[in-house]
């Protein structure tokens, strides 16, 4: 008789914009852990040829497409963070598709546990599919500073995105573990290693 595939044990990793989710996730990946990023899934579902891209262009107009037919992410970002109704329309279209992509990628995980990295883990209800929640927490001023250094954007835009996300308090209420990312990358890595050892212990060596 073949053994039924067991469901992976999933750690939800979340935090606000620029908190350091991707940097933390990359270190878990370097330690051999399978991670799926909701921001990446959000890109796959709007690739040219996917039905969602056509619906977005019909709804927002051709201004959200680049000359090569790809989504103009900067243009759509400006529109949805200036208008909560438009943001909700986009989320209603994309979140179910993103959830399908995430589920199919997590199902392939072979590591002792897998990670779902998502800025909207709490807001979208995705946390219900995870066994434990790790919040990457950073002071808001540092989140803004890091995002401005990383992205071609401005402070007004970053503040609008922050407003569209759960508050620090809402996130911390659902956290099982908190990684305070207010020091350098070496500190972030050492904290990830400490948590990784803990998660392996929790898993009791199961794969
Ligand atoms: C508006 C879009 C095109 C802007 O793309 P861009 O390349 O500039 O940003 P990217 O996708 O890398 O997101 C950067 C960060 O913005 C924040 N963010 C993105 N979408 C949202 C949202 N709907 N609500 C709150 N914050 C958001 C997150 O912190 C995210 O990590 C894109 O973010 C998008 O399609 N958003 C809607 C889908 C969604 O909700 N994605 C979040 C993951 S489920
Ligand atoms: N401890 C740290 N020291 C210095 N730089 C950091 C630290 N943590 C993260 N960064 C940098 O800050 C920026 C934001 O981090 P990262 O991209 O990991 O955030 P994020 O939470 O994934 O953001 P988003 O929600 O926008 O996707 C990146 O350029 C990253 O390299």
């Amino acid at each position: 008789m073949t053994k039924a595939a067991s469901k992976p044990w999933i750690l939800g990793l979340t935090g606000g914009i620029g908190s350091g989710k991707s940097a933390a996730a990359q270190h878990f990946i370097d330690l051999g852990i399978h991670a799926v990023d909701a921001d990446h899934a959000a890109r796959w579902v709007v690739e040219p040829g996917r039905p969602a891209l056509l619906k977005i262009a019909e709804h927002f107009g051709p201004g959200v497409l680049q000359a090569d037919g790809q989504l103009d992410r900067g243009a759509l970002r400006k529109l949805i963070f200036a208008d909560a109704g438009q943001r909700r329309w986009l989320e209603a279209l994309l979140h179910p598709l993103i959830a399908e992509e995430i589920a199919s990628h997590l199902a392939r995980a072979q590591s002792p546990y897998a990670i779902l990295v998502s800025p909207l883990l709490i807001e979208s209800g995705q946390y219900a599919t995870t066994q434990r929640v790790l919040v990457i927490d950073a002071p808001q001023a540092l989140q803004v500073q890091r995002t401005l250094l990383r992205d071609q954007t401005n402070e007004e835009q970053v503040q609008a995105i922050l407003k569209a996300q759960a508050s620090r308090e809402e996130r911390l209420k659902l956290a099982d573990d908190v990684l305070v990312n207010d020091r350098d990358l070496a500190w972030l890595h050492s904290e990830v290693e400490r948590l990784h050892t803990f998660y392996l212990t929790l898993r009791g060596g199961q794969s």
Side-chain angles (χ1 to χ4, degrees), residues 4 6-7 18 23 26 31 40-41 43 53 61 63-64 72 81 95 97 122 131 134 138 147 160 171 193:
S6 56
K7 271 181 136 190
Q26 185 54 54
L31 295 169
H40 297 171
R43 283 166 197 260
L53 184 58
V64 296
D72 183 336
F81 291 110
H95 285 187
L97 304 173
I122 312 289
Q131 273 68 44
L134 167 62
T147 305
R171 241 181 247 117
E193 284 159 28

Side-chain angles (χ1 to χ4, degrees), residues 15-24 39 119 146-147 150-151 165 181-185 188:
I17 185 164
S19 56
K21 293 180 296 298
S22 306
D39 282 339
R146 286 179 180 154
T147 305
R150 188 196 55 188
D151 296 345
Q165 301 188 337
N181 184 25
D182 62 354
R183 291 165 64 176
D184 60 11
L185 282 170
L188 175 67

Side-chain angles (χ1 to χ4, degrees), residues 36-47 50 73 94-95 97-103 105 116-117 126:
V36 180
D37 189 322
D39 282 339
H40 297 171
R43 283 166 197 260
W44 304 329
V45 300
V46 295
E47 276 170 0
R50 303 284 300 257
R73 306 183 66 84
L94 296 185
H95 285 187
L97 304 173
I98 293 170
E100 272 176 38
E101 290 283 349
I102 289 170
H105 281 260
L116 164 55
V117 186
Q126 286 162 345

